[in-house]
Amino acid sequence: MTITEYPQDRIAAQPIGYWTREAANLAIGAIRTALAEEDLTQPHWWTLNHIAATPGAWTRTTLTAKLSPYDDQNTDFDAMYTDLATRGWLTEPDGTLTLTPEGEAGRLRAHARNAKVHTRMRDGIDDEAYASTINVLRRLVANLGGEADLP
């Protein structure tokens, strides 16, 4: 996709709030649409990834505490864990959350769908420009008193 070129001074005068909100809304919407194709929400996705990354490390309580600050959907985390267990994607042998082979397969399918969104989103943007953009946003966050460390 081509976009109209503008002089730097005109771009520099643009409202950052508008562009960051527009980018965030479109990126989150595209990711949520891709996940919905697997009948998953973002909290499902976060859960699957956290459990896969550190098997045996999470209980319902600890993972809910970790993920709740990022949730903007008023997720009932216990119902979500139960949903994943009912699908056969998650077990809790000894109280820790564990992915089943079916859960890992579902996570990998969702990952492939999300990867397509990320590829589309980054079309025409090399790693240097992307990293520079993230660092500018991190600086804006820090300047406004927020947490600029990577999540």
Side-chain angles (χ1 to χ4, degrees), residues 35-101:
L35 290 170
E37 293 174 14
E38 288 291 331
D39 198 25
L40 298 173
T41 63
Q42 269 187 311
H44 280 104
W45 174 241
W46 302 331
T47 297
L48 294 170
N49 281 306
H50 276 74
I51 295 169
T54 51
W58 300 103
T59 64
R60 286 182 181 219
T61 301
T62 58
L63 192 52
T64 299
K66 171 75 174 177
L67 299 178
S68 291
Y70 305 101
D71 180 39
D72 65 354
Q73 300 174 66
N74 297 317
T75 300
D76 178 342
F77 281 90
D78 280 327
M80 185 209 42
Y81 300 132
T82 299
D83 173 57
L84 289 171
T86 301
R87 294 177 194 213
W89 289 22
L90 178 70
T91 63
E92 297 178 74
D94 78 354
T96 60
L97 302 169
T98 304
L99 291 186
T100 64

Side-chain angles (χ1 to χ4, degrees), residues 7-22:
Q8 184 175 348
D9 63 330
R10 189 157 175 209
I11 296 291
Q14 289 295 298
I16 191 73
Y18 169 80
W19 290 107
T20 54
R21 183 179 322 134
E22 186 71 5

Side-chain angles (χ1 to χ4, degrees), residues 31 34-35 45 108-122:
I31 289 166
L35 290 170
W45 174 241
L108 291 174
R109 285 192 309 272
H111 180 273
R113 292 180 191 283
N114 280 348
K116 289 178 185 176
V117 171
H118 285 270
T119 297
R120 189 175 89 225
M121 183 171 51
R122 299 241 343 236

